[in-house]
mmCIF file of all heavy atoms in Angstrom:
data_model
loop_
_atom_site.group_PDB
_atom_site.id
_atom_site.type_symbol
_atom_site.label_atom_id
_atom_site.label_comp_id
_atom_site.label_asym_id
_atom_site.label_seq_id
_atom_site.Cartn_x
_atom_site.Cartn_y
_atom_site.Cartn_z
ATOM 1 N N ALA Q 206 -65.235 75.942 -24.137
ATOM 2 C CA ALA Q 206 -63.915 76.413 -24.562
ATOM 3 C C ALA Q 206 -63.318 75.307 -25.458
ATOM 4 O O ALA Q 206 -63.557 74.073 -25.361
ATOM 5 C CB ALA Q 206 -62.987 76.286 -23.259
ATOM 6 N N ILE Q 207 -62.530 75.824 -26.440
ATOM 7 C CA ILE Q 207 -61.871 75.006 -27.459
ATOM 8 C C ILE Q 207 -60.611 74.282 -26.739
ATOM 9 O O ILE Q 207 -59.834 74.919 -26.084
ATOM 10 C CB ILE Q 207 -61.335 75.788 -28.684
ATOM 11 C CG1 ILE Q 207 -62.517 76.518 -29.330
ATOM 12 C CG2 ILE Q 207 -60.520 74.882 -29.574
ATOM 13 C CD1 ILE Q 207 -62.068 77.514 -30.369
ATOM 14 N N ILE Q 208 -60.476 73.033 -26.889
ATOM 15 C CA ILE Q 208 -59.400 72.231 -26.315
ATOM 16 C C ILE Q 208 -58.495 71.852 -27.480
ATOM 17 O O ILE Q 208 -58.896 71.828 -28.612
ATOM 18 C CB ILE Q 208 -60.077 71.059 -25.669
ATOM 19 C CG1 ILE Q 208 -60.922 71.373 -24.536
ATOM 20 C CG2 ILE Q 208 -59.013 69.965 -25.155
ATOM 21 C CD1 ILE Q 208 -60.397 72.412 -23.549
ATOM 22 N N GLY Q 209 -57.243 71.534 -27.189
ATOM 23 C CA GLY Q 209 -56.280 71.370 -28.280
ATOM 24 C C GLY Q 209 -56.352 70.156 -29.137
ATOM 25 O O GLY Q 209 -55.414 69.350 -29.334
ATOM 26 N N ARG Q 210 -57.605 69.912 -29.752
ATOM 27 C CA ARG Q 210 -57.760 68.837 -30.733
ATOM 28 C C ARG Q 210 -58.690 69.458 -31.805
ATOM 29 O O ARG Q 210 -59.816 69.933 -31.482
ATOM 30 C CB ARG Q 210 -58.495 67.556 -30.109
ATOM 31 C CG ARG Q 210 -57.882 66.986 -29.011
ATOM 32 C CD ARG Q 210 -56.548 66.177 -29.435
ATOM 33 N NE ARG Q 210 -56.034 65.517 -28.275
ATOM 34 C CZ ARG Q 210 -55.060 66.118 -27.479
ATOM 35 N NH1 ARG Q 210 -54.856 67.281 -27.525
ATOM 36 N NH2 ARG Q 210 -54.576 65.397 -26.560
ATOM 37 N N TYR Q 211 -58.181 69.303 -33.076
ATOM 38 C CA TYR Q 211 -58.881 69.953 -34.172
ATOM 39 C C TYR Q 211 -58.785 68.914 -35.374
ATOM 40 O O TYR Q 211 -57.803 68.258 -35.486
ATOM 41 C CB TYR Q 211 -58.206 71.175 -34.705
ATOM 42 C CG TYR Q 211 -57.911 72.284 -33.693
ATOM 43 C CD1 TYR Q 211 -57.030 72.236 -32.757
ATOM 44 C CD2 TYR Q 211 -58.757 73.460 -33.755
ATOM 45 C CE1 TYR Q 211 -56.732 73.227 -31.806
ATOM 46 C CE2 TYR Q 211 -58.522 74.499 -32.782
ATOM 47 C CZ TYR Q 211 -57.528 74.429 -31.873
ATOM 48 O OH TYR Q 211 -57.224 75.390 -31.029
ATOM 49 N N ILE Q 212 -59.919 68.913 -36.202
ATOM 50 C CA ILE Q 212 -59.838 68.322 -37.623
ATOM 51 C C ILE Q 212 -60.003 69.492 -38.420
ATOM 52 O O ILE Q 212 -60.982 70.323 -38.307
ATOM 53 C CB ILE Q 212 -60.936 67.270 -37.830
ATOM 54 C CG1 ILE Q 212 -60.866 66.165 -36.735
ATOM 55 C CG2 ILE Q 212 -60.857 66.818 -39.258
ATOM 56 C CD1 ILE Q 212 -60.037 64.977 -36.971
ATOM 57 N N LEU Q 213 -59.110 69.704 -39.413
ATOM 58 C CA LEU Q 213 -59.234 70.850 -40.321
ATOM 59 C C LEU Q 213 -59.210 70.406 -41.613
ATOM 60 O O LEU Q 213 -58.470 69.481 -42.079
ATOM 61 C CB LEU Q 213 -57.986 71.819 -40.035
ATOM 62 C CG LEU Q 213 -57.908 72.353 -38.646
ATOM 63 C CD1 LEU Q 213 -56.606 73.135 -38.461
ATOM 64 C CD2 LEU Q 213 -59.100 73.185 -38.156
ATOM 65 N N THR Q 214 -59.971 71.101 -42.487
ATOM 66 C CA THR Q 214 -60.037 70.770 -43.938
ATOM 67 C C THR Q 214 -58.974 71.800 -44.523
ATOM 68 O O THR Q 214 -58.763 72.853 -43.921
ATOM 69 C CB THR Q 214 -61.436 70.997 -44.599
ATOM 70 O OG1 THR Q 214 -61.848 72.338 -44.210
ATOM 71 C CG2 THR Q 214 -62.392 69.982 -44.071
ATOM 72 N N PRO Q 215 -58.376 71.326 -45.620
ATOM 73 C CA PRO Q 215 -57.165 71.994 -46.077
ATOM 74 C C PRO Q 215 -57.466 73.451 -46.597
ATOM 75 O O PRO Q 215 -56.492 74.293 -46.712
ATOM 76 C CB PRO Q 215 -56.628 71.140 -47.288
ATOM 77 C CG PRO Q 215 -57.723 70.307 -47.677
ATOM 78 C CD PRO Q 215 -58.680 70.127 -46.446
ATOM 79 N N ASP Q 216 -58.681 73.869 -46.889
ATOM 80 C CA ASP Q 216 -58.990 75.252 -47.238
ATOM 81 C C ASP Q 216 -58.619 76.212 -46.057
ATOM 82 O O ASP Q 216 -58.476 77.379 -46.244
ATOM 83 C CB ASP Q 216 -60.449 75.389 -47.677
ATOM 84 C CG ASP Q 216 -61.391 74.903 -46.706
ATOM 85 O OD1 ASP Q 216 -61.166 73.785 -46.133
ATOM 86 O OD2 ASP Q 216 -62.380 75.594 -46.330
ATOM 87 N N ILE Q 217 -58.358 75.687 -44.925
ATOM 88 C CA ILE Q 217 -57.993 76.463 -43.801
ATOM 89 C C ILE Q 217 -56.667 77.204 -44.019
ATOM 90 O O ILE Q 217 -56.532 78.297 -43.520
ATOM 91 C CB ILE Q 217 -57.856 75.606 -42.481
ATOM 92 C CG1 ILE Q 217 -57.943 76.570 -41.150
ATOM 93 C CG2 ILE Q 217 -56.649 74.782 -42.450
ATOM 94 C CD1 ILE Q 217 -59.285 77.139 -40.880
ATOM 95 N N PHE Q 218 -55.803 76.707 -44.756
ATOM 96 C CA PHE Q 218 -54.544 77.272 -44.948
ATOM 97 C C PHE Q 218 -54.690 78.654 -45.652
ATOM 98 O O PHE Q 218 -54.074 79.616 -45.244
ATOM 99 C CB PHE Q 218 -53.625 76.405 -45.893
ATOM 100 C CG PHE Q 218 -53.140 75.169 -45.146
ATOM 101 C CD1 PHE Q 218 -53.324 73.907 -45.749
ATOM 102 C CD2 PHE Q 218 -52.458 75.260 -43.893
ATOM 103 C CE1 PHE Q 218 -52.981 72.711 -45.022
ATOM 104 C CE2 PHE Q 218 -52.099 74.069 -43.271
ATOM 105 C CZ PHE Q 218 -52.405 72.760 -43.741
ATOM 106 N N GLU Q 219 -55.490 78.709 -46.657
ATOM 107 C CA GLU Q 219 -55.698 80.002 -47.406
ATOM 108 C C GLU Q 219 -56.389 81.013 -46.475
ATOM 109 O O GLU Q 219 -56.069 82.178 -46.389
ATOM 110 C CB GLU Q 219 -56.472 79.797 -48.663
ATOM 111 C CG GLU Q 219 -56.026 80.661 -49.780
ATOM 112 C CD GLU Q 219 -56.867 80.294 -51.043
ATOM 113 O OE1 GLU Q 219 -56.695 79.179 -51.553
ATOM 114 O OE2 GLU Q 219 -57.550 81.173 -51.539
ATOM 115 N N LEU Q 220 -57.324 80.499 -45.652
ATOM 116 C CA LEU Q 220 -57.965 81.358 -44.711
ATOM 117 C C LEU Q 220 -56.982 81.951 -43.618
ATOM 118 O O LEU Q 220 -57.066 83.078 -43.319
ATOM 119 C CB LEU Q 220 -59.195 80.584 -44.011
ATOM 120 C CG LEU Q 220 -60.243 80.200 -44.821
ATOM 121 C CD1 LEU Q 220 -61.254 79.209 -44.135
ATOM 122 C CD2 LEU Q 220 -61.113 81.452 -45.286
ATOM 123 N N ILE Q 221 -56.102 81.117 -43.218
ATOM 124 C CA ILE Q 221 -55.057 81.566 -42.229
ATOM 125 C C ILE Q 221 -54.112 82.651 -42.927
ATOM 126 O O ILE Q 221 -53.857 83.695 -42.342
ATOM 127 C CB ILE Q 221 -54.122 80.451 -41.731
ATOM 128 C CG1 ILE Q 221 -54.961 79.359 -41.056
ATOM 129 C CG2 ILE Q 221 -53.131 81.020 -40.800
ATOM 130 C CD1 ILE Q 221 -54.125 78.136 -40.568
ATOM 131 N N GLU Q 222 -53.877 82.328 -44.197
ATOM 132 C CA GLU Q 222 -53.003 83.359 -44.924
ATOM 133 C C GLU Q 222 -53.632 84.668 -44.975
ATOM 134 O O GLU Q 222 -52.919 85.644 -45.008
ATOM 135 C CB GLU Q 222 -52.816 82.889 -46.380
ATOM 136 C CG GLU Q 222 -51.538 82.030 -46.568
ATOM 137 C CD GLU Q 222 -51.413 81.567 -47.984
ATOM 138 O OE1 GLU Q 222 -52.446 81.517 -48.775
ATOM 139 O OE2 GLU Q 222 -50.249 81.077 -48.315
ATOM 140 N N ASN Q 223 -54.970 84.716 -45.053
ATOM 141 C CA ASN Q 223 -55.664 85.953 -45.120
ATOM 142 C C ASN Q 223 -56.233 86.436 -43.786
ATOM 143 O O ASN Q 223 -57.056 87.326 -43.833
ATOM 144 C CB ASN Q 223 -56.873 85.803 -46.060
ATOM 145 C CG ASN Q 223 -56.294 85.611 -47.558
ATOM 146 O OD1 ASN Q 223 -55.342 86.364 -47.943
ATOM 147 N ND2 ASN Q 223 -56.735 84.647 -48.210
ATOM 148 N N THR Q 224 -55.624 85.900 -42.673
ATOM 149 C CA THR Q 224 -56.140 86.281 -41.328
ATOM 150 C C THR Q 224 -55.086 87.254 -40.732
ATOM 151 O O THR Q 224 -53.929 87.074 -40.718
ATOM 152 C CB THR Q 224 -56.248 85.063 -40.462
ATOM 153 O OG1 THR Q 224 -57.176 84.174 -41.010
ATOM 154 C CG2 THR Q 224 -56.660 85.457 -39.068
ATOM 155 N N GLU Q 225 -55.624 88.415 -40.369
ATOM 156 C CA GLU Q 225 -54.714 89.502 -39.705
ATOM 157 C C GLU Q 225 -54.347 89.029 -38.324
ATOM 158 O O GLU Q 225 -55.124 88.290 -37.726
ATOM 159 C CB GLU Q 225 -55.576 90.816 -39.587
ATOM 160 C CG GLU Q 225 -55.743 91.358 -40.968
ATOM 161 C CD GLU Q 225 -54.503 91.723 -41.767
ATOM 162 O OE1 GLU Q 225 -53.586 92.384 -41.103
ATOM 163 O OE2 GLU Q 225 -54.535 91.625 -42.917
ATOM 164 N N PRO Q 226 -53.195 89.477 -37.822
ATOM 165 C CA PRO Q 226 -53.001 89.195 -36.367
ATOM 166 C C PRO Q 226 -54.071 89.599 -35.433
ATOM 167 O O PRO Q 226 -54.768 90.609 -35.648
ATOM 168 C CB PRO Q 226 -51.726 90.098 -36.070
ATOM 169 C CG PRO Q 226 -51.081 90.293 -37.338
ATOM 170 C CD PRO Q 226 -52.252 90.301 -38.317
ATOM 171 N N GLY Q 227 -54.483 88.828 -34.505
ATOM 172 C CA GLY Q 227 -55.755 89.009 -33.682
ATOM 173 C C GLY Q 227 -55.197 89.187 -32.120
ATOM 174 O O GLY Q 227 -54.276 89.909 -31.890
ATOM 175 N N LYS Q 228 -55.805 88.445 -31.283
ATOM 176 C CA LYS Q 228 -55.480 88.517 -29.842
ATOM 177 C C LYS Q 228 -54.023 88.378 -29.592
ATOM 178 O O LYS Q 228 -53.347 87.473 -30.163
ATOM 179 C CB LYS Q 228 -56.251 87.534 -29.157
ATOM 180 C CG LYS Q 228 -56.230 87.481 -27.543
ATOM 181 C CD LYS Q 228 -57.373 88.415 -27.203
ATOM 182 C CE LYS Q 228 -57.309 88.789 -25.730
ATOM 183 N NZ LYS Q 228 -58.426 89.606 -25.278
ATOM 184 N N GLY Q 229 -53.475 89.175 -28.826
ATOM 185 C CA GLY Q 229 -52.080 89.209 -28.474
ATOM 186 C C GLY Q 229 -51.064 89.514 -29.695
ATOM 187 O O GLY Q 229 -49.954 89.146 -29.595
ATOM 188 N N GLY Q 230 -51.654 90.017 -30.794
ATOM 189 C CA GLY Q 230 -50.903 90.393 -31.977
ATOM 190 C C GLY Q 230 -50.519 89.047 -32.749
ATOM 191 O O GLY Q 230 -49.587 89.143 -33.525
ATOM 192 N N GLU Q 231 -51.127 87.988 -32.401
ATOM 193 C CA GLU Q 231 -50.728 86.734 -33.098
ATOM 194 C C GLU Q 231 -51.841 86.316 -33.955
ATOM 195 O O GLU Q 231 -52.973 86.680 -33.935
ATOM 196 C CB GLU Q 231 -50.658 85.660 -31.975
ATOM 197 C CG GLU Q 231 -49.558 85.956 -30.932
ATOM 198 C CD GLU Q 231 -49.337 84.671 -30.041
ATOM 199 O OE1 GLU Q 231 -50.295 83.990 -29.798
ATOM 200 O OE2 GLU Q 231 -48.119 84.501 -29.623
ATOM 201 N N ILE Q 232 -51.367 85.453 -35.047
ATOM 202 C CA ILE Q 232 -52.427 84.918 -36.039
ATOM 203 C C ILE Q 232 -53.047 83.781 -35.330
ATOM 204 O O ILE Q 232 -52.351 82.699 -35.063
ATOM 205 C CB ILE Q 232 -51.566 84.518 -37.303
ATOM 206 C CG1 ILE Q 232 -51.018 85.879 -37.841
ATOM 207 C CG2 ILE Q 232 -52.602 83.869 -38.278
ATOM 208 C CD1 ILE Q 232 -50.093 85.598 -38.991
ATOM 209 N N GLN Q 233 -54.269 83.850 -35.161
ATOM 210 C CA GLN Q 233 -55.042 82.875 -34.360
ATOM 211 C C GLN Q 233 -55.891 81.915 -35.241
ATOM 212 O O GLN Q 233 -56.703 82.426 -36.175
ATOM 213 C CB GLN Q 233 -56.060 83.654 -33.534
ATOM 214 C CG GLN Q 233 -55.451 84.622 -32.490
ATOM 215 C CD GLN Q 233 -54.564 83.890 -31.434
ATOM 216 O OE1 GLN Q 233 -54.644 82.689 -31.258
ATOM 217 N NE2 GLN Q 233 -53.817 84.651 -30.612
ATOM 218 N N ILE Q 234 -55.771 80.677 -35.018
ATOM 219 C CA ILE Q 234 -56.522 79.709 -35.715
ATOM 220 C C ILE Q 234 -57.983 79.923 -35.501
ATOM 221 O O ILE Q 234 -58.852 79.695 -36.387
ATOM 222 C CB ILE Q 234 -56.104 78.215 -35.351
ATOM 223 C CG1 ILE Q 234 -56.739 77.157 -36.323
ATOM 224 C CG2 ILE Q 234 -56.370 77.978 -33.899
ATOM 225 C CD1 ILE Q 234 -56.442 77.259 -37.701
#
Side-chain angles (χ1 to χ4, degrees):
I207 303 171
I208 298 311
R210 299 291 181 277
Y211 304 76
I212 302 277
L213 301 174
T214 52
D216 53 314
I217 197 70
F218 291 124
E219 219 174 295
L220 293 167
I221 302 174
E222 267 177 343
N223 295 312
T224 297
E225 294 297 319
K228 192 85 190 181
E231 296 187 329
I232 298 173
Q233 300 293 350
I234 188 62

